[in-house]
Amino acid sequence: MFDEIPTSRPETPLLDSIDDPAQLRALKERQLPQLAEELRAYLLYTVGQSGGHFGAGLGVVELTIALHYIYHTPEDRLVWDVGHQTYPHKILTGRREQMHSIRQGGGLAGFPKRGESDYDTFGVGHSSTSLSAAQGMAMGSAMTGSERKTAAIIGDGAMTAGMAFEALNHIAHTDTDMLVILNDNNMSISPNVGGLATYLSKVWGSKFYNSLREGSKQILTKIPSAWEFARRTEEHFKGFMSPGTLFEEMGFNYVGPIDGHDLTSLVDYLGNLREVKGPKLLHIITRKGKGFGPAEDDPVGYHALNKLEPGAKVKKKASGPKYQKVFGDWLCDMAERDPRLIGITPAMCEGSGMVDFARRFPERFFDVAIAEQHAVTLAAGFACEGQKPVVAIYSTFLQRAYDQLIHDVAIQNLDVTFAIDRAGMVGEDGPTHAGSFDLTYLRCLPNLVVAAPSDENECRQLLYTAWQHQGPAAVRYPRGTGPGADIQTTMEVLPIGRGREVREGKEVVILNFGASLATALTVAERLDASVCDMRFVKPLDTELIERMAGLHSLLVTLEENAIAGGAGSAVGEHLASQGIQIPWLPLGFRDEFVEHDSQKNQLASHGLDADGIETAIRQRQGSS
């Protein structure tokens, strides 16, 4: 057990001898516990050097070793869900010495990535995709006559999503030969790991039992009534003694729950189940943060770790509160005023700044787990009854509920407010988490108001404006801190569809949408340009746009969103519809996905830092 992150590289002689899983499979089984100890120590050390997610990885050290020991990877397919838990997998698959670069520009990705390694069979970032992907792989392999095996590893949190259950149903329906490993890390589902449950799991996972089961199946299926009786007798007995009834009823051969940190048992179970045909589900119990005391005590707080800097350096004071705190404070203030306010989030309570709200107003707080579609339609249902729901959701997570946003909220013009966090570039998590498209996919929807605040105070006021609006409205804001604007405790409804001119200049006008206003003003000082804070992407302040077009020789639109279909496109569409001819320069994200790096570097790579914006404008003007 570790109580501190190692600051010097630990001694890991056994781990250092493994550059690929074939070398792992050459070890004696009695050597695996030592390997697990070394792997856990090395994982803690490297995350301390680079920062990143490590709590989930610590919890699957033994499972990762056992999987690569039994399965013939990369020929056999291991499909990991989410991706936070794959750090041990990366270490064991030839990337040990690169772990210091994880989530940094040019370094390893923080999630499985197909282009990074043959052992990363499927790229992930969002949850609950592993079962569908693994089923496709298993069925595709069977069609080619391949004997390769497939296993999907999914956490109990990811199992809450509807997509996971859709896959479970289809896996059973098609009798797909694959293994589902349900990693239950004590956050939910099953507490009943006792002597009897452990004994029964050993029986159900044994070669003898499964051989007997398959032999009986071949005989009794010729007598349908007898087979049905035997099948249901087995299911009911398992259901009485274990939590596996649901999976057995769906058509899985359920085994568990077992201790996910017992390497000997894991190797034994996986070895047996690898040879069993058909849909199988192994339920293991693990502890998130296993082996690191602080993470075991606080698995949420130690979900990820910042890079440990050497020496006692004074931290730079943030320029302002994080936008998620601005939202959280506003939510509590509104809840005190109006009992109709309902807070909803899909498993993003901490990330969205809702912790205080959940504590102070528990009867009005609903964390629906990883179920974005349900979150949006649940809010629609509340709105039908006169409540005032607020859905706190990341930009990329709202993408997963787009159909519900259209059909269940927008078409019915229901009074739902969306607080959209992580808009724009998000840094080290890369393209799977970047909020690059929300302005594009939101502004095309009728009935929806879309706002993009430029600082912390404007975020508070626009949230209030959106909530007071009688209909669907969205406020999108970025990850991290703002420019440090003074936040007014009072709240006022800002005129919807109205921007403001914040700097008067000559020749060039920059129409800014969102959090890049401070950068726009820096550029404007260099170029003596005008700047407008547009505030709303929908409806647009067309009057302000037309007036600025009449006063300047170049109109620039600036947004942290894809250029294609974004706020700048809306401006261009309006100018064209009115026959207004003015040189127009749209600045935003190019038509490409941006790999993991710091937010600063990501913006610079798209020319959205001050130097890049200035250069683009001067080039358009024909200046050097």
Side-chain angles (χ1 to χ4, degrees):
M1 173 73 73
F2 294 88
D3 293 319
E4 295 182 352
I5 302 292
T7 56
S8 59
R9 194 190 192 286
E11 295 292 328
T12 55
L14 195 56
L15 179 63
D16 293 346
S17 69
I18 297 172
D19 293 315
D20 64 67
Q23 294 169 313
L24 165 62
R25 291 189 283 272
L27 297 177
K28 302 294 185 183
E29 189 173 331
R30 58 181 168 77
Q31 295 177 284
L32 299 184
Q34 178 189 340
L35 178 63
E37 184 176 341
E38 292 182 10
L39 178 55
R40 187 165 274 115
Y42 187 76
L43 173 60
L44 280 169
Y45 166 71
T46 54
V47 172
Q49 297 298 302
S50 62
H53 303 94
F54 76 117
L58 289 173
V60 295
V61 165
E62 289 82 7
L63 175 63
T64 306
I65 291 172
L67 282 167
H68 282 293
Y69 194 69
I70 294 298
Y71 283 81
H72 304 155
T73 55
E75 176 64 18
D76 286 344
R77 309 304 197 207
L78 300 182
V79 185
W80 296 89
D81 216 291
V82 184
H84 297 149
Q85 58 187 331
T86 56
Y87 284 25
H89 162 81
K90 287 176 180 276
I91 293 171
L92 292 174
T93 54
R95 290 167 279 183
R96 181 182 65 248
E97 300 306 321
Q98 297 171 270
M99 286 298 292
H100 68 280
S101 70
I102 199 161
R103 301 172 76 237
Q104 299 176 23
L108 296 179
F111 305 102
K113 183 179 178 183
R114 283 173 57 82
E116 186 177 287
S117 170
D118 290 339
Y119 294 93
D120 291 359
T121 59
F122 198 73
V124 282
H126 290 178
S127 81
S128 314
T129 60
S130 62
L131 305 188
S132 300
Q135 182 189 10
M137 293 176 189
M139 295 177 73
S141 295
M143 288 178 179
T144 64
S146 172
E147 294 295 322
R148 72 166 57 102
K149 302 296 183 179
T150 304
I153 305 94
I154 185 169
D156 55 344
M159 191 67 90
T160 62
M163 185 176 178
F165 280 89
E166 291 170 13
L168 286 173
N169 181 66
H170 194 227
I171 290 166
H173 175 74
T174 56
D175 198 34
T176 304
D177 183 17
M178 61 177 285
L179 173 64
V180 174
I181 299 174
L182 173 57
N183 176 25
D184 181 353
N185 59 16
N186 288 340
M187 303 302 246
S188 62
I189 298 185
S190 176
N192 60 338
V193 183
L196 182 58
T198 301
Y199 170 74
L200 291 171
S201 297
K202 289 181 179 179
V203 172
W204 295 330
S206 68
K207 289 183 178 179
F208 173 76
Y209 174 82
N210 282 287
S211 297
L212 181 63
R213 185 180 192 270
E214 290 303 307
S216 300
K217 180 178 179 180
Q218 292 177 13
I219 296 172
L220 294 177
T221 48
K222 299 177 181 178
I223 312 173
S225 59
W227 166 243
E228 182 65 16
F229 175 78
R231 185 182 68 82
R232 288 199 170 274
T233 299
E234 179 192 41
E235 288 178 2
H236 292 158
F237 179 67
K238 284 185 175 182
F240 178 71
M241 305 305 297
S242 81
T245 305
L246 170 65
F247 303 114
E248 288 283 346
E249 289 288 345
M250 294 184 78
F252 281 79
N253 180 9
Y254 171 87
V255 176
I258 69 169
D259 182 357
H261 299 299
D262 184 342
L263 253 172
T264 300
S265 294
L266 281 172
V267 168
D268 188 39
Y269 281 114
L270 290 172
N272 292 337
L273 290 173
R274 186 180 183 277
E275 305 308 317
V276 176
K277 300 292 186 181
K280 307 162 286 290
L281 190 143
L282 176 62
H283 182 179
I284 69 171
I285 305 295
T286 62
R287 188 175 183 88
K288 191 172 182 179
K290 173 70 174 177
F292 182 55
E296 288 191 18
D297 295 338
D298 182 12
V300 174
Y302 279 88
H303 172 65
L305 186 74
N306 292 327
K307 179 180 179 180
L308 299 180
E309 299 291 349
K313 294 184 178 180
V314 178
K315 291 184 178 180
K316 182 180 178 181
K317 185 178 179 180
S319 58
K322 290 184 177 180
Y323 278 98
Q324 66 193 56
K325 185 179 189 310
V326 175
F327 164 72
D329 290 345
W330 169 82
L331 193 66
C332 289
D333 291 345
M334 285 307 309
E336 287 181 343
R337 293 187 181 194
D338 196 326
R340 296 177 300 160
L341 186 144
I342 302 293
I344 300 171
T345 188
M348 287 292 112
C349 178
E350 292 81 15
S352 295
M354 299 182 77
V355 173
D356 285 347
F357 176 81
R359 176 181 55 81
R360 292 172 57 185
F361 306 97
E363 73 286 353
R364 289 191 270 160
F365 170 70
F366 300 95
D367 185 339
V368 302
I370 303 173
E372 296 89 353
Q373 294 171 306
H374 170 59
V376 172
T377 305
L378 175 68
F382 271 118
C384 288
E385 297 302 316
Q387 304 296 327
K388 295 276 289 182
V390 177
V391 179
I393 191 167
Y394 289 5
S395 172
T396 50
F397 295 170
L398 185 56
Q399 292 167 185
R400 305 182 78 175
Y402 193 52
D403 185 66
Q404 287 68 33
L405 178 62
I406 296 172
H407 282 254
D408 300 338
V409 177
I411 287 178
Q412 303 185 88
N413 200 27
L414 290 173
D415 193 1
V416 179
T417 300
F418 294 91
I420 303 175
D421 200 348
R422 271 51 170 191
M425 291 300 175
V426 296
E428 294 82 1
D429 285 336
T432 59
H433 284 61
S436 305
F437 311 111
D438 53 80
L439 293 184
T440 299
Y441 70 69
L442 290 173
R443 79 170 188 88
C444 63
L445 300 184
N447 294 333
L448 185 65
V449 170
V450 183
S454 60
D455 60 36
E456 303 92 330
N457 182 60
E458 197 166 271
C459 183
R460 178 178 172 86
Q461 307 307 327
L462 285 174
L463 284 165
Y464 181 69
T465 301
W467 192 80
Q468 292 289 357
H469 172 69
Q470 297 299 306
V475 181
R476 59 100 73 170
Y477 45 89
R479 177 188 186 187
T481 58
D486 292 333
I487 302 175
Q488 302 171 9
T489 56
T490 57
M491 290 181 279
E492 62 175 317
V493 174
L494 300 178
I496 291 178
R498 288 288 178 265
R500 61 191 180 108
E501 186 177 1
V502 294
R503 187 185 192 279
E504 184 178 352
K506 304 173 182 177
E507 296 187 16
V508 177
V509 58
I510 303 173
L511 305 183
N512 177 80
F513 294 87
S516 51
L517 179 62
T519 305
L521 287 170
T522 298
V523 175
E525 289 293 332
R526 300 175 184 176
L527 301 176
D528 192 18
S530 298
V531 177
C532 293
D533 175 17
M534 297 303 293
R535 286 181 171 165
F536 292 90
V537 178
K538 185 173 185 178
L540 279 172
D541 190 341
T542 55
E543 181 181 326
L544 181 59
I545 292 170
E546 292 175 12
R547 183 162 61 87
M548 290 295 108
L551 296 173
H552 298 85
S553 58
L554 175 63
L555 188 147
V556 179
T557 56
L558 178 61
E559 61 190 304
E560 291 188 18
N561 186 82
I563 294 174
S569 293
V571 172
E573 290 163 11
H574 177 72
L575 293 172
S577 71
Q578 300 301 307
I580 299 174
Q581 297 185 0
I582 180 175
W584 164 51
L585 175 62
L587 297 178
F589 300 150
R590 293 186 297 272
D591 189 23
E592 62 187 47
F593 293 109
V594 179
E595 295 302 325
H596 53 279
D597 204 336
S598 67
Q599 286 176 282
K600 179 180 178 181
N601 288 344
Q602 286 177 328
L603 291 172
S605 73
H606 276 271
L608 296 180
D609 59 351
D611 290 342
I613 295 169
E614 180 185 0
T615 298
I617 293 174
R618 289 191 183 279
Q619 287 178 345
R620 186 56 182 268
Q621 289 180 307
S623 304
S624 58

